[in-house]
């Protein structure tokens, strides 16, 4: 087994089998359940509202996945450094690129668990069946680069900042800012500042793409540039994380 | 059952008209050049429900002696339920809201179909309007009111098992893992 696969398997196993990982999934399920239960009994929902509910649920799953990836990313660098586990890992013969890919692989497995968790919720609230397939497709295609970018960015912060707590706070604040489109609807982001923010924010791109596919029924092909943009952000975050792992004069990653 | 009024309705345009010249323009003879009709697609559901698609066929005839240029044909959806009267935003009902016809020769006809995705329940009327830059008074054809039956969009029978069952299952798994972890630790301690 390659070093990347071994690390990914270990990191992914943490989320799927350990009490800590199960607690995270339970917390994510509690959030999704609360959202779903709020809708029961509402007789004023139209089909449009139903599609928006499915879209909101998909966006919520992306946000939860990004939070878990960010926490895993900070823990993978700053957390392991504070536990004294990073130095032995970096001292192995495994290339740092492989270590990084392994850590990202673990986050990808956690995201896969999140998608599997969200799927029955999407089915439950999307009772009209309206664009449910597009919701799942959009969740996988657009959620994956956004979530992994959040994880890679958090790893970069975890490697660069000296404190795990500081890295975690910085990651979560950045994520909160990026995920603000979940709270502010498209109409509230029509100012020049809002449009500019949307133009550079991969989370906005993913939310807008999900809205276009689920609510407006647009084809996946029409969202190609948004997907390209999200993947480009993933590449940038990956490059930042890889750069932060490289040894540099005056900086010791292991302390 | 949907029935359609086939005659056109002439509306008076008042916007941006100086008060001094704001006389009614409904009798403008040029307005009669264009006639518009709208009929429902007979293949559509007779008792539509939310989620159905309802197609409307419209037709514009140029009765004038000259060609009509720069003609705009647009769709309007009105909700007419008492207490909920409003012009409906078509954003999610139809991807096609208006058609521009560059040129319609004299005594020629243009036909198209507009499809509506029925998003919300209620009673509605569809209007199809036609206007040209040369004819200031648009001509409008209207359908009779049709009712969209409601449909439950969030079914508690689907939501409850998922919303309660998944956290419960994960909670059981977590408790099992914790108990097993403690038991393992205890065994090691005993050893």
């Amino acid at each position: 087994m390659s070093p990347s696969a071994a690390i990914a398997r270990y990191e992914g196993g943490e989320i799927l089998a350990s009490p800590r990982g199960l607690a995270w999934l339970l917390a994510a399920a509690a959030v999704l359940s609360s959202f779903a239960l709020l809708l029961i009994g509402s007789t004023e929902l139209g089909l449009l509202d139903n599609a928006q509910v499915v879209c909101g649920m998909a966006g919520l799953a992306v946000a939860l996945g990004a939070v878990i990836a960010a926490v895993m990313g900070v823990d993978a660098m700053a957390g392991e450094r504070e536990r004294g586990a990073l130095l032995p890992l970096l001292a192995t013969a495994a290339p740092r690129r492989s270590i990084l890919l392994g850590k990202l692989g673990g986050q990808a497995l956690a995201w896969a668990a999140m998608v599997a968790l969200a799927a029955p919720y999407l089915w439950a609230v999307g009772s009209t069946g309206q664009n449910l397939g597009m919701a799942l497709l959009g969740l996988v295609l657009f959620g994956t680069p956004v979530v992994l970018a959040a994880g890679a960015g958090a790893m970069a912060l975890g490697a660069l900042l000296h404190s795990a707590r500081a890295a975690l706070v910085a990651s979560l604040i950045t994520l909160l800012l990026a995920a603000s489109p979940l709270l502010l609807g498209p109409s509230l982001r029509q100012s020049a500042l809002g449009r500019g923010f949307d133009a550079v924010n991969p989370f906005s791109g993913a939310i807008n793409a999900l809205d276009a596919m689920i609510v407006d029924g647009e084809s996946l092909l029409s969202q190609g540039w948004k997907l390209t943009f999200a993947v480009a952000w993933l590449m940038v975050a990956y490059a930042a994380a890889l750069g932060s792992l490289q040894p540099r004069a005056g900086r010791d990653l292991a302390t | 059952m949907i029935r359609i009024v086939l005659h056109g309705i002439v509306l008076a345009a008042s916007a941006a008209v100086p008060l001094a010249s704001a006389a009614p323009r409904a009798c403008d003879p040029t307005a009669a050049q264009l006639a518009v009709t709208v009929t429902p697609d007979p293949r559509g559901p007779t008792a539509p429900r939310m989620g159905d698609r309802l197609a409307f066929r419209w037709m514009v005839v140029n009765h004038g002696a000259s060609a009509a240029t720069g003609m705009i044909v647009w769709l309007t959806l009105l909700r007419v339920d008492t207490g909920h009267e409003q012009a409906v935003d078509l954003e999610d009902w139809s991807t096609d809201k208006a058609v521009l016809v560059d040129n319609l020769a004299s005594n020629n006809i243009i036909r198209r179909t507009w499809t509506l995705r029925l998003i919300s329940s209620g009673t509605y009327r569809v209007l199809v309007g036609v206007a040209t830059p040369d004819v200031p008074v648009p001509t409008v054809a209207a359908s009779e009111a049709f009712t969209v039956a409601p449909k439950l969009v969030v079914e508690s029978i689907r939501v409850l098992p998922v919303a309660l069952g998944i956290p419960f299952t994960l909670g059981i798994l977590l408790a099992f893992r914790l108990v097993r972890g403690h038991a393992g630790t205890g065994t090691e301690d005993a050893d």
Side-chain angles (χ1 to χ4, degrees), chain A residues 58 61-62 64-66 106-116 139-140 143-145 147-148:
Chain A
V62 174
L64 288 168
Q107 292 168 18
L109 285 173
W111 169 238
M114 188 67 225
V115 172
L139 185 63
V140 172
T144 302
V147 166
L148 293 184

Side-chain angles (χ1 to χ4, degrees), chain A residues 7 22 31-32 39-40 67 81 89-90 97-98 106 109 130 154 181-182 193 200 206 233-234 239:
Chain A
I7 294 171
L22 280 173
V31 173
L32 295 174
L39 304 169
I40 290 184
V67 167
R81 182 177 56 212
L89 183 62
L90 293 175
R97 184 184 298 271
S98 298
L109 285 173
Q130 180 178 260
L182 275 178
L193 192 62
V200 298
W233 261 106
L234 171 58

Side-chain angles (χ1 to χ4, degrees), chain A residues 189-204:
Chain A
R189 307 199 306 275
Q190 289 304 308
S191 65
L193 192 62
R195 285 198 298 270
F197 178 70
D198 271 11
V200 298
N201 180 11
F203 209 107
S204 293

Side-chain angles (χ1 to χ4, degrees), chain A residues 59-142:
Chain A
L60 196 56
V62 174
L64 288 168
V67 167
I68 291 176
V71 173
M72 285 180 76
V74 169
D75 187 64
M77 294 294 161
E80 295 220 359
R81 182 177 56 212
E82 289 185 357
R83 290 191 293 273
L86 188 60
L87 182 58
L89 183 62
L90 293 175
T92 61
R96 299 197 172 190
R97 184 184 298 271
S98 298
I99 294 173
L100 181 63
L101 285 174
K103 300 278 187 189
L104 271 180
Q107 292 168 18
L109 285 173
W111 169 238
M114 188 67 225
V115 172
L117 184 70
Y121 285 96
L122 290 171
W123 171 82
V125 298
S127 52
T128 59
Q130 180 178 260
N131 297 337
L132 196 55
M134 291 297 261
L136 284 168
L137 185 65
L139 185 63
V140 172
L141 283 180
F142 291 93

Side-chain angles (χ1 to χ4, degrees), chain B residues 22 48 50 83:
Chain B
M50 280 166 55

Side-chain angles (χ1 to χ4, degrees), chain A residues 11 28 45 51 57 60-61 94 99 126 129 133 138 157 170 184 197 220 229 247 255:
Chain A
E11 298 270 337
L45 291 174
M57 184 70 85
L60 196 56
I99 294 173
L157 282 172
L184 302 173
F197 178 70
L220 175 63
F229 182 62
T255 56

Side-chain angles (χ1 to χ4, degrees), chain B residues 115-162:
Chain B
T115 302
L116 293 179
R117 185 173 62 164
L118 305 179
I119 298 295
S120 296
S121 60
T123 306
Y124 300 90
R125 295 187 79 177
V126 164
L127 310 182
V128 175
V130 56
T132 67
D134 303 330
V135 181
V137 181
T139 305
V140 178
S143 75
E144 274 203 355
F146 61 94
T147 299
V148 180
K151 181 178 176 181
L152 204 57
V153 296
V154 177
E155 297 170 7
S156 54
I157 199 166
R158 290 172 72 143
V159 173
L160 281 174
V162 171

